[in-house]
Amino acid sequence: MEALARIAKAAAAAGASAADAKNNAAAGSAGFAYGLAAIGPGIGIGLIFGSAIESMARQPESAGMVRTTMFLGIAFTEALALIGFVVFILLKYA
Amino acid sequence: MMSNVIAFEFPPINELLRWKDVWAAGSLNKVGLIAVASALIGIFIFMSAAQKNPKVAPTGTRNLAEVAVEFIEDNIIMQTMGRDGLGWTPFLLTLFVFIYLCNLPGIIPLLQMPATARMAIPMFLAVLVWVIFNFSGIKHQGFFTYFKNVLFPPGVPKALYILVTPIEFISTLIVRPFSMAVRLFANMLAGHLLLVIFALLSEALLQARDKILIPVGILPLFMLLFLTAFEVLVGFLQAYIFTILAAVYIAGATHPEH
């Protein structure tokens, strides 16, 4: 908040309106929101896939069950990244 | 200098997602029409498949319908609910076919808009699944047993219920429908925006004033082709994941862990 206020003050000094400054700050942080949100799920999905491949290679007969569970795990992990994406959209456009 | 080599400006998001009403104000817009059309196409395929003689070798729509039913039974119900869950085939099949047919227009030329990229349809479907898994849980276990199993999972030390009960309440009754809706919506919206970005980028590069940029425009064009193929996969996968999550939630509500 303080940082936003400082940016707004600096922008007002430069002749831009406070709303412009807020939009710029929001657009700048939108990218960070998504980038940060993608780190954890990226690692998580990698781990899920790795373990799934390992168990499928060890026991090919259980591949069907492993695949179903893998998709479930990916769906739960991916939700965090997708919420980050929604925050990105909200920051940028709302 | 660099910034005006390609005068590339991304359109405001409402231009990509908000469609005008087709006939008059308050009537259906493109997204609504796609949703209605996918419901009708699904109904048509399965009705016409049901009309065919089951004793002769399947042809046409019956082939399609049989593949879909077998896919739901083998890959979704048997993996998550077991044999008892086969009675849920009609519901899950409807869910899967409707979501898939809503996702598909995202890559069909001229339509180019997945109906699930607006929040209304995923949210409605998620609320529907929420109502159904809660009601089937209440029906199978009784009102108090169901909520006792959900909110006070057995096998947890008594003192931990202070911590576990709010978490279970939020994760089962609030986060489940929310994350289901957001997962479908955000995936389809992200795919739609990616296609738009690469289409606009290749258009801007292929029509650049600087002649040297025109061959570079091939790259985003290839990316666009690749992403379109990827969206085929994503549309299928999201329908599959939504259906499998619905199956898991219903199975969890009807057969509690002991």
Side-chain angles (χ1 to χ4, degrees), chain B residues 209-221:
Chain B
R209 233 175 293 126
D210 217 342
K211 289 285 174 286
I212 207 162
L213 284 176
I214 293 174
V216 184
I218 301 293
L219 295 175
L221 199 62

Side-chain angles (χ1 to χ4, degrees), chain A residues 2-16 18 21:
Chain A
E2 245 177 65
L4 274 183
R6 221 178 311 128
I7 292 170
K9 230 177 267 170

